[in-house]
Amino acid sequence: MSDVVTLALIYYSSTGTGTEIANTMADAAQAAGAQVRVRKVAELAPQAAIEANPVWAAHHAATADLPTPTPDDLTWADAVIFGSPTRFGNIAAQLKQFFDTLSPVWQAGGLADKVYSGFTSTGTRHGGHESTLLAMYNSIHHFGGIIVPPGYTDAVKFVDGNPYGTSHHAAFGPDLGSIDDDTRNSARHQAERVVRIARALKSGRAA
């Protein structure tokens, strides 16, 4: 058995914040020695809604060629990091719809005993940073997954303040779709921690 950790980063992003976080995590995980697949779940919103928001429309076009996830990506992965913006304190319908396609691999036990973690972004400072991740993790309990949150395991987490996962305040304005250094530091730490824990678990299984 190879000791190389395989990591699937599966996320949804409308305006680009989640894409920036996912790419930051992917780079950190690869630097830590993991093989990484980045997958953006399919868009469900009507084209009229997308085109009504110029930032959303631009990001939708820019990421049109990104691969969408399949259940095989989870079967392949030792670890999975999910990402979603907040939608009324919960995960986006786009990510939930992907979860709802996973029953066959779940029934076969293909989602169990993997490392899982999550990230989010919200348009307000207290608008679902924690509740979105907790809602996401409800599904992972059903998977039989091993949730690895960042906790307060590094000084960067006392800056971002969310022990459940990386979260970013995606304020409306000219910077929408970008992330700051605090979020990047949190994302890197979370990805490195996920890879490290997954590698330790994988080594233990192989022993």
Side-chain angles (χ1 to χ4, degrees):
M1 178 185 294
S2 171
D3 62 353
V4 175
V5 170
T6 52
L7 170 66
L9 271 157
I10 298 174
Y11 77 100
Y12 172 70
S13 177
S14 56
T15 57
T17 302
T19 297
E20 288 292 312
I21 296 172
N23 289 338
T24 299
M25 287 184 163
D27 289 345
Q30 288 171 338
Q35 293 181 3
V36 181
R37 292 181 184 179
V38 178
R39 302 288 188 262
K40 181 174 177 279
V41 298
E43 182 60 80
L44 301 178
Q47 191 65 29
I50 296 170
E51 292 175 354
N53 182 327
V55 179
W56 189 356
H59 182 254
H60 181 63
T63 57
D65 293 333
L66 283 180
T68 56
T70 69
D72 176 68
D73 292 314
L74 278 80
T75 301
W76 167 83
D78 299 310
V80 182
I81 300 178
F82 290 118
S84 174
T86 289
R87 294 293 182 264
F88 303 107
N90 211 321
I91 65 174
Q94 289 85 348
L95 182 63
K96 179 60 167 61
Q97 192 274 340
F98 175 69
F99 282 3
D100 290 346
T101 70
L102 297 175
S103 290
V105 67
W106 166 73
Q107 290 174 335
L111 301 181
D113 302 332
K114 299 176 184 291
V115 166
Y116 293 89
S117 203
F119 66 86
T120 190
S121 62
T122 78
T124 54
R125 292 190 182 279
H126 300 287
H129 289 267
E130 291 85 7
S131 65
T132 301
L133 292 168
L134 291 171
M136 182 187 294
Y137 294 161
N138 284 340
S139 295
I140 295 168
H141 287 295
H142 287 257
F143 295 171
I146 301 164
I147 298 173
V148 175
Y152 291 108
T153 55
D154 189 275
V156 300
K157 294 307 299 176
F158 290 92
V159 178
D160 116 310
N162 190 340
Y164 302 103
T166 297
S167 63
H168 181 75
H169 173 213
F172 298 102
D175 294 329
L176 183 62
S178 63
I179 59 175
D180 57 21
D181 287 343
D182 292 342
T183 301
R184 291 187 190 280
N185 291 336
S186 178
R188 292 188 189 103
H189 171 64
Q190 185 173 356
E192 291 164 357
R193 177 171 163 79
V194 164
V195 171
R196 178 167 54 83
I197 299 301
R199 181 177 292 122
L201 289 169
K202 190 171 186 177
S203 298
R205 293 189 191 111

